Amino acid sequence: MIEIGGFGSSSAGRRSQSLHLDESSKDSYIDKMHAKEISWLCLFPLIFSLFYFIPLLFTPYSPYNYILVFLAYPLFVVLYLRCRLQHEYALGYIFAISLLAMAVSVIHDGAYTFTWYAAYCAGYLFTVKRSLVIMLYLGGSLWACALLSDVPIEYFLAYRILPFVGLYVYGHVNQKILRQERIKSEKNRQIKQLAAIAERERLARDMHDILGHNLTAINLKAQLAAKSGRVGDIDKALKEIEDVAKLASSALGDIREAISQYKRMGFYEQLSSLVQLLHDAGFSVQRELINIKLDARQESGLMLIITEAITNILRHSDGNKVAISLSPLSSNSNEPQYKLSIKDNGSESVFRPGNGITGIYDRAQEIGADINIQRANGFGIDVIF
């Protein structure tokens, strides 16, 4: 789980809660918002309701019965659509559809088709356990329709039960598919949210690395300027102040570059700038570096590790020497391995891990490097990549 700043147990609970379906929705109904998004699909199954009109082609009706038959159909459509879109009243609409089917069956043999759609809604909107109870009732309604319209039992089994059961199963399968889509959509939303959080965390680490280094250098230069001014060396004080201005400008530029995907100078040029800061602070620096080709990800990660390590030395070291080396390692794998080492000769023995050290480990993990930090006989760091 990724947490930043104020992200605590309450926000974690909200994220955990959003990853799960609402219990009432899981146990009874499809999520309302998702149903509205696909509500146009409600109309497609109505194609099969045309079976309602087939008996009109073979059986004569009185004008009064014709009117009743044709008026019953739009009433059924309204009940069906209401059932699909107003889930909280679905059970009542299913009951109303079954009553309409039985009532119209007295004068019209095709009214049984209404129960098909009640069965579909039962499978689509309810859990298996609840929908099976509803199906028992609807099966009785379908049987009542057959009795009221005096249909032979063979015809009833072949042409009414099979579509009735088939539409119920189709509705239940459709429910599962739509729930899976909803869960998938929710997971994708969560992934995007966590990616955005991770990106903000990465940007925060970058700002810490960049500003920590530059502000340390500005502080050092400002102290040197003040010291030179107190002893009357105005020229040196002015030079240090000019360096402070340059460093501030550089910090502003670094921030702009970080935001615009780090349009940075080369790895070795940046390293030379950091070495110069060590020289300015009174450290002698021993460099043993080989030239290797780094990809953008490695270059960015290593440079930020080096920046944090040197910043740590400038802030806390009481030594006067720093050794920086980059050398190849013998490896049995096909890909070459290298070791980056930075070490000073200070005597600090108390180790207090903070954001900087945590950032070093994070950077190493991002580029797939192994890292080892020592605090005995000075600060030392080895990065194997």
Side-chain angles (χ1 to χ4, degrees), residues 4 198-209 363:
I4 297 179
E199 180 65 17
R200 288 197 294 269
E201 187 180 57
R202 184 186 68 84
L203 183 59
R205 290 200 309 267
D206 290 350
M207 293 302 102
H208 171 269
D209 294 340
R363 298 298 178 181

Side-chain angles (χ1 to χ4, degrees), residues 222-296:
Q223 290 179 9
L224 291 174
K227 185 183 295 184
S228 299
R230 282 195 293 269
V231 299
D233 193 345
I234 303 301
D235 292 338
K236 187 174 181 181
L238 290 175
K239 181 182 180 302
E240 297 297 344
I241 292 173
E242 289 176 358
D243 289 343
V244 167
K246 291 178 181 178
L247 286 169
S249 178
S250 176
L252 180 59
D254 287 343
I255 293 173
R256 287 173 177 170
E257 288 173 5
I259 295 175
S260 62
Q261 301 300 316
Y262 313 108
K263 297 178 181 178
R264 57 196 179 280
M265 59 182 174
F267 175 78
Y268 293 97
E269 292 175 324
Q270 292 185 81
L271 184 56
S272 296
S273 297
L274 294 173
V275 168
Q276 184 59 45
L277 286 175
L278 290 170
H279 284 306
D280 292 341
F283 288 89
S284 64
V285 182
Q286 178 184 355
R287 288 190 289 178
E288 295 181 2
L289 306 172
I290 63 170
N291 289 320
I292 60 173
K293 186 175 182 181
L294 300 171
D295 60 36

Side-chain angles (χ1 to χ4, degrees), residues 64 70 78 322 350:
Y64 177 74
F70 279 100
V78 170
V322 177
V350 180

Side-chain angles (χ1 to χ4, degrees), residues 67-83:
I67 293 173
L68 290 179
V69 168
F70 279 100
L71 287 178
Y73 183 76
L75 178 58
F76 152 72
V77 172
V78 170
L79 291 173
Y80 166 70
L81 294 178
R82 291 273 187 176
C83 185

